[in-house]
Amino acid sequence: MSDLLELLERVPGRGPEAPPEFGAMLDDISRAFGAERTLIALYDPERRSLRGTVGRNVPADLVEALQVPLTERDDPLVSALRSGIPQRVRATATDPRIGPHARDILLELGFDKFVVASLHGETESLGVLLIDRKAELTDQDLEALVPAAMQASTEIQRARDVDRLRGASTRDAVEREWLWWMVNSVADPIVVSDEQNQLVLQNKSAEKLFRVTAADVPGRAHAVTMNNVLFTAALSSWNLERGTVARPREITLVDPVEGSDLIFEVIAQPATNYRGGERGMVCVLKNVTELRLVSEELTRNVQRLQSADQEMRLERDRLDLILRSVPNPIIVIDSDDQAVSMNAAAQRLFGAPQALGGPVAAGRRQDLELRNNAKLASFIAQLRLDPGVRKSGEIQVVDPESEEQLEMAVISTEIRDDVGVPVATVTVMQDVGRYRELERRRLEQALFDSEKLAATGRLAASIAHEINNPLEAIHNSLYLLVNKSDPSDPDHKFLAIAMKETERMSRILRQMLGFYRPAAAMAPTDVNALVDEAESLVAKRLRDRRSRIVKELDPALPKVVASSDQLKQVILNLMLNAAEAMPNGGTITVSTRALGGGGARILRSDAVQIQIRDEGVGIPEEHMSQLFEPFFSTKGEKGTGLGLWVSYGIVQAHGGSLQVRSREGEGTTFNITLPIGGPASG
């Protein structure tokens, strides 16, 4: 027999226990051979040894103590098992082949001498049979022992097979029980189908979808039947797909209770029973109905967000286009003083959007941008101290390209959220310096036109006055001649014609004498406001001449009935004259106060006074008497000589007075006094 040890190692695991039928078999062998005692030792693959299993006429508690390892090849038990040839042991106590442990157990069992026969199955060695009798077994007994051992082996093999079948059935039942509990421990439906796509196993969750019971109402039974049809059709299509890679699939079933659609994600995995060769499919169904509804809702929300985002981008592009088209600087600043948006005009002054007041790159242009940023940051910080949402003011910045000083009117508006918290500030700036310069030039032109008109009127009045005197003498002479002549005289009618024409010429001259009489609409006027307006108009020219204006205005000054445009021309003209009188710069002081008979400040004042004082070169004494004459000027070719003359006429037309005090090297002071009620009527 070839390597029996390797063969035994491949035998399925089993213990040395033997069925109860082995006892009857040993009784038959003992009677057949007249044995006093018999013993069967079966092979134990776990311990790789021969172990006592059952015996006759031996202590039962010692039978299992007998253990002979297969590694003891010389032992008669192992030798008989390996070779299949019966072995004789004539003296157990002295036989050198028996190990000490086995010798002690055999002697205690009563086996002083014995014969060992091999027990063989069809494919494996089962163990050995030990027979002990008083008379020594003959060769004929040994020959008869071989078929008896074979018969015993057959019985042992049959009992083994029955035990294996019984164990396999038990294991199968246990495995099925475990499988049932495992599939039902999963909340999702689990289905096992065969090759004909019939459902052979399903857990309780799947039974709610696919199993019809006698207690089901027709509606539920119909829904379950429909689910079986749908699922079987899906299984048929999935089986046509080759490959064993499990991938998610989808199927729509009917809710047997609600009747609504249920969407399941199915993981279908082909399976093979390698014992019987059957094929099938294992399917796990995941209810994704709610997930699908949520996914669809999310998809719709994403589409709405994308649409809203597109609209926001369009609005933003439209807003950017509007901002780029606006010539005035516009800056949007967030709550952290970060400039988040600027149009091109603002970037020209302040550079690219950055933290308001933050650092910028080096260089002359960048240095000017940094200064502008600092001025704007300080200005907005001061504006935020005001409680109002909309604030306004003025700052001076420098054009980084031309380095021109710009006077900017600033309007800042806070943007608040729904709870009233400021989230941004929109600042709009406008260059008011150019507008003021244009207004100043317009007033200067109006003053110049008015001066020309006044000069023309004064010239016409002078001519009319000079002609009127001799004309009156002629008229008187003609009057005397007409009264003395006889109406019947042929020359009388010519004298009457001459007298009538001289009267007409007199009327024309009287009209010419009244040609330059200022006629303007008069209304209550705030003199302090006129001073402020005039200052804003000449501010740039004063800065160019290194001059400044200091105002000492009476806040309680009453309003004066006057023409605001004409009065503003007078104040503007005197301010410009004061600036030209200070070639090295200086201070122009403008003050207002109320005058009255009871004192300088009384509740009911009669007049107001406007004083304009400079620190210039002064007016020579010899020029003081000619100062208000037309065409007289101390400016040489630069002056027209009409400014003070027109101003004097305007003040007189308002019922007031214009006075001057001056001293060379110490400056000049002009005092304008105007009655509150305006010029006297008539």
Side-chain angles (χ1 to χ4, degrees), residues 8-9 11-16 42-49:
L8 292 174
E9 290 177 354
V11 175
R14 62 186 184 276
L42 296 179
Y43 172 66
D44 185 353
E46 294 181 357
R47 301 187 181 184
R48 302 182 65 208
S49 62

Side-chain angles (χ1 to χ4, degrees), residues 392-433:
S392 61
E394 292 186 9
I395 61 173
Q396 291 184 3
V397 296
V398 180
D399 188 335
E401 294 183 2
S402 63
E403 298 190 11
E404 178 185 2
Q405 293 283 342
L406 302 177
E407 298 179 12
M408 308 299 291
V410 183
I411 299 177
S412 293
T413 304
E414 288 184 346
I415 307 299
R416 300 177 181 268
D417 58 14
D418 295 337
V419 296
V421 177
V423 295
T425 302
V426 179
T427 301
V428 181
M429 308 177 71
Q430 184 174 5
D431 184 2
V432 296

Side-chain angles (χ1 to χ4, degrees), residues 175-247:
E175 289 176 358
R176 290 182 64 85
E177 181 75 10
W178 271 109
L179 178 61
W180 188 88
W181 282 108
M182 283 189 292
V183 296
N184 279 284
S185 65
V186 180
D188 298 323
I190 298 178
V191 175
V192 180
S193 62
D194 57 15
E195 288 184 293
Q196 287 73 37
N197 299 324
Q198 299 299 317
L199 306 185
V200 297
L201 179 64
Q202 51 191 314
N203 63 355
K204 290 183 178 180
S205 298
E207 289 178 355
K208 296 178 181 178
L209 298 171
F210 301 108
R211 176 167 292 182
V212 179
T213 63
D216 288 342
V217 297
R220 187 184 187 284
H222 179 72
V224 172
T225 303
M226 180 65 68
N227 288 341
N228 279 275
V229 173
L230 294 173
F231 194 73
T232 302
L235 284 175
S236 300
S237 64
W238 296 340
N239 282 326
L240 295 177
E241 299 178 6
R242 299 302 179 185
T244 59
V245 179
R247 64 180 183 85

Side-chain angles (χ1 to χ4, degrees), residues 35-39 41 66 68 74-78 80 86-95 97-99 102-117 128-137 142 145:
E36 294 184 2
R37 57 187 63 82
T38 54
L39 185 144
L66 178 62
V68 180
D74 294 336
D75 189 283
L77 278 70
V78 177
Q87 301 291 320
R88 290 178 182 273
V89 178
R90 291 186 169 84
T92 302
T94 60
D95 194 324
R97 296 175 298 172
I98 302 175
R103 188 193 316 277
D104 294 340
I105 298 299
L106 290 171
L107 291 176
E108 193 170 352
L109 289 171
F111 286 88
D112 296 330
K113 60 182 184 305
F114 58 90
V115 175
V116 184
V128 294
L129 171 65
L130 281 70
I131 299 177
D132 179 21
R133 71 177 186 180
K134 292 183 178 180
E136 186 176 352
L137 292 174
L142 293 178
L145 182 59

